[in-house]
Amino acid sequence: MSRDENGTLILEALRRRGVDTSRAIVRPGTNPFAVILVADEATVHGERIVLWKRPDEMKLSPADVPADVASGARFMFVDDVDMEAAIAAGKAGIAAGLPVTTDIEAVKPGTDRLMRAVTIPIFAEQVPRALTGEIEPEAALRVLRNRHGGLLCVTLGARGAAALAGDEFIYQPGFQVDAIDTTGAGDIFRAGFIYATLRGDAPADVLRFACAAAAVSCTRRGAINSVPSLDDVAALLSAQAVAPR
């Protein structure tokens, strides 16, 4: 993260929400940023294209991961942007006995190693297909079961999400909302997934909560402004009793 205006904006937004940023890595230079183009046509309303720029000085390496990175944590999340740093952090979390999840958006060099460095891989829709050649989510996750014994999850956009818990396949349909901007929905899904897991929900209920949180976020413009409250998610869950199957 940078000390520039964009980096400061993000840090302040996190702090307002009670997030401890005392261990954030802040460097001089230009903060990563994105220009997001949101579609307005009726058939694809809310879909977006992200034009992303991340300066090299913002990259993280395993040397940036503190030895005590898992100290005091209850859950760890890593992504696949800085692959080697994410793998190092994930391994540290597992060694500390934490549940560790990730955002695996694409198949890259190191994806298999990252998958093994977390306890709950969460894949973008196209990733299980690319890793296995199987088109259907259930078939793809069952092939991936040979590589990973934990809960496997895949997000499916407007169609919801699916998971393989042991040998049980769980599908949670998407919630019906008037989507105006899908920016941040995947991040909100993962945040909801972590929250529901920490409070002890069963896998099917975790998926339902996470999908509801993501759906609420799609009804608002922007990323920071789209983060829902617990009341927002509860209202949607009450309004739409969508049961997994």
Side-chain angles (χ1 to χ4, degrees):
M1 188 171 294
S2 170
R3 296 188 179 92
D4 70 2
E5 183 178 357
N6 288 330
T8 300
L9 173 70
I10 294 169
L11 281 173
E12 289 178 350
L14 291 170
R15 289 166 181 156
R16 284 197 305 271
R17 290 165 171 78
V19 177
D20 181 2
T21 63
S22 61
R23 300 183 73 179
I25 298 174
V26 182
R27 295 171 173 164
T30 303
N31 202 70
F33 70 93
V35 175
I36 301 172
L37 309 178
V38 181
D40 201 29
E41 289 82 359
T43 55
V44 290
H45 199 52
E47 291 298 322
R48 80 279 189 266
I49 295 173
V50 179
L51 307 177
W52 170 257
K53 182 176 181 180
R54 187 167 187 252
D56 288 345
E57 58 266 26
M58 292 296 115
K59 292 181 180 179
L60 298 176
S61 71
D64 294 312
V65 179
D68 62 344
V69 64
S71 176
R74 297 172 59 201
F75 205 114
M76 180 179 287
F77 169 83
V78 298
D79 65 24
D80 65 353
V81 176
D82 296 304
M83 185 69 74
E84 297 305 322
I87 290 170
K91 288 180 176 179
I94 290 176
L98 301 181
V100 184
T101 192
T102 188
D103 178 2
I104 301 179
E105 290 191 335
V107 178
K108 307 173 182 178
T111 295
D112 278 333
R113 291 188 297 121
L114 178 60
M115 188 169 65
R116 294 192 297 270
V118 303
T119 62
I120 309 171
I122 300 180
F123 306 99
E125 181 173 3
Q126 71 278 4
V127 175
R129 183 186 311 163
L131 289 172
T132 67
E134 296 286 350
I135 295 175
E136 293 301 320
E138 179 174 2
L141 292 181
R142 291 197 182 280
V143 172
L144 290 174
R145 169 61 72 231
N146 297 323
R147 307 187 201 178
H148 197 289
L151 179 68
L152 303 173
C153 179
V154 57
T155 58
L156 302 171
R159 295 188 293 122
L164 191 63
D167 290 329
E168 180 188 5
F169 179 72
I170 304 165
Y171 170 61
Q172 171 62 50
F175 287 79
Q176 298 301 309
V177 296
D178 181 15
I180 61 172
D181 186 354
T182 59
T183 303
D187 298 318
I188 298 299
F189 175 92
R190 287 157 181 80
F193 187 101
I194 292 169
Y195 176 85
T197 300
L198 282 174
R199 73 180 180 185
D201 289 8
D205 294 324
V206 169
L207 281 193
R208 185 166 183 261
F209 183 89
C211 283
V216 173
S217 77
C218 293
T219 65
R220 303 167 181 175
R221 293 197 183 277
I224 293 174
N225 292 335
S226 70
V227 179
S229 68
L230 284 175
D231 288 342
D232 294 330
V233 180
L236 181 59
L237 287 170
S238 296
Q240 297 189 35
V242 179
R245 63 176 185 269

